[in-house]
Amino acid sequence: VTMVLVELAKASDDNRCAWLENNFGITDEVPEPWTPVAVDGEQVRVWGRTIDFGEALLPVQIASQEVGLLVSPPSITVISGGQLLSFGEPSVHRFDTRKDQIVREASARSGSLAVSTVTTVEFDGMVHVELAITPDSPTVLERIAITIPVDRNVAQVYARYLNYDFEALRTDKMSLAACTQRITEPIYSDFNPEIWVGNRNVGITWAAETNCQYDLIDAGKTLSVIPKTDTVELVVSIVDHPITLCEPKTIEFALFPTPLKPV
């Protein structure tokens, strides 16, 4: 093995594999039947879906098949010293547009605490958010959460990603019993990489690859689906007890309006 590695190290650039260190396949062209991302001010349109940023850190409305999914804009809850922090109107620092995606960067402040988002909307409707909370100096925070208020007429059914046994390489069959249910009462769960609420026609997915930045005592309520009269609140808890924030805390997640394309 050592001899092979030495020989590889001696190999000239001419002998390197053609697929290394190149841009083959990297393009902003949108494959058919998808259509290029269309932008009108703070509104972004993709095939069958519309994402409206308004003047906020997160999209104020997301529509699928011309049905508005949200009752009100999603909110970022940050509590410090027993007070709910109010962040001013955000400043948009960047709005880059390509055929296949847009990237929007915005930030807002409350005292010595800054909140920023980098949001990417891709041509297939994926809305990826990188949310960062940055203190100017060590700051005690008691609560960080994201609330997504979905229209009650839309959010009738809940579904989640099936538990998977990575050792046995199979789906946890016991997970099938609770992975889908009607939303008639609050549903609480620990971290799950993907949950969906919707009806037979439209819905919205929340997804995240990791909870490594979460700091929770009650991990069983990482994700909450709370039905109310006109809305179903999808609450993602990030922090539920006092912590001292000394450096930026970054949380990544995605919102995906469904269906993927018009039925």
Side-chain angles (χ1 to χ4, degrees):
V1 173
T2 302
M3 293 180 64
V4 170
L5 291 175
V6 169
E7 290 301 317
L8 286 174
K10 292 180 179 179
S12 67
D13 290 340
D14 293 338
N15 293 329
R16 291 176 63 80
C17 297
W19 58 82
L20 293 177
E21 297 180 358
N22 64 71
N23 293 323
F24 294 167
I26 297 177
T27 176
D28 64 354
E29 295 297 324
V30 177
E32 294 182 352
W34 306 108
T35 55
V37 175
V39 177
D40 182 8
E42 288 283 344
Q43 189 178 85
V44 180
R45 297 186 64 87
V46 298
W47 190 15
R49 274 76 47 83
T50 302
I51 297 89
D52 191 347
F53 284 98
E55 296 179 355
L57 290 170
L58 299 173
V60 298
Q61 181 60 277
I62 298 175
S64 178
Q65 321 313 312
E66 300 185 356
V67 176
L69 304 178
L70 308 180
V71 170
S72 56
S75 60
I76 302 169
T77 298
V78 180
I79 296 177
S80 178
Q83 299 294 318
L84 175 63
L85 300 186
S86 177
F87 295 92
E89 183 176 313
S91 300
V92 178
H93 308 290
R94 173 187 173 202
F95 201 115
D96 293 341
T97 303
R98 301 190 331 192
K99 295 179 182 178
D100 61 333
Q101 67 177 29
I102 68 96
V103 179
R104 179 183 186 269
E105 184 174 350
S107 66
R109 295 191 67 87
S110 179
S112 62
L113 205 65
V115 174
S116 63
T117 54
V118 178
T119 306
T120 303
V121 180
E122 299 183 358
F123 67 87
D124 63 355
M126 180 69 75
V127 182
H128 176 269
V129 179
E130 183 178 298
L131 167 67
I133 302 174
T134 305
D136 291 342
S137 58
T139 304
V140 176
L141 303 179
E142 294 99 47
R143 175 76 167 152
I144 301 174
I146 301 165
T147 300
I148 303 162
V150 185
D151 190 311
R152 189 71 180 90
N153 294 319
V154 170
Q156 298 178 11
V157 176
Y158 159 90
R160 63 169 170 77
Y161 186 82
L162 284 172
N163 294 339
Y164 189 78
D165 187 334
F166 287 95
E167 292 185 1
L169 299 180
R170 65 186 179 193
T171 299
D172 180 358
K173 294 181 179 179
M174 295 301 293
S175 178
L176 286 169
C179 71
T180 304
Q181 56 186 292
R182 287 191 175 275
I183 304 172
T184 57
E185 57 185 9
I187 302 170
Y188 303 104
S189 73
D190 54 10
F191 178 78
N192 192 287
E194 182 177 293
I195 64 174
W196 173 88
V197 295
N199 57 31
R200 291 180 178 271
N201 300 310
V202 295
I204 189 167
T205 296
W206 175 90
E209 293 184 342
T210 178
N211 61 344
C212 65
Q213 286 285 336
Y214 296 25
D215 197 333
L216 300 170
I217 292 178
D218 190 358
K221 290 186 177 180
T222 302
L223 301 172
S224 303
V225 177
I226 305 173
K228 297 187 175 181
T229 303
D230 299 321
T231 184
V232 170
E233 292 186 347
L234 170 55
V235 182
V236 183
S237 292
I238 310 298
V239 170
D240 66 356
H241 67 283
I243 64 167
T244 300
L245 193 65
C246 299
E247 58 186 8
K249 178 178 283 293
T250 302
I251 303 102
E252 293 190 51
F253 63 93
L255 299 173
F256 192 88
T258 60
L260 181 67
K261 63 184 181 69
V263 177

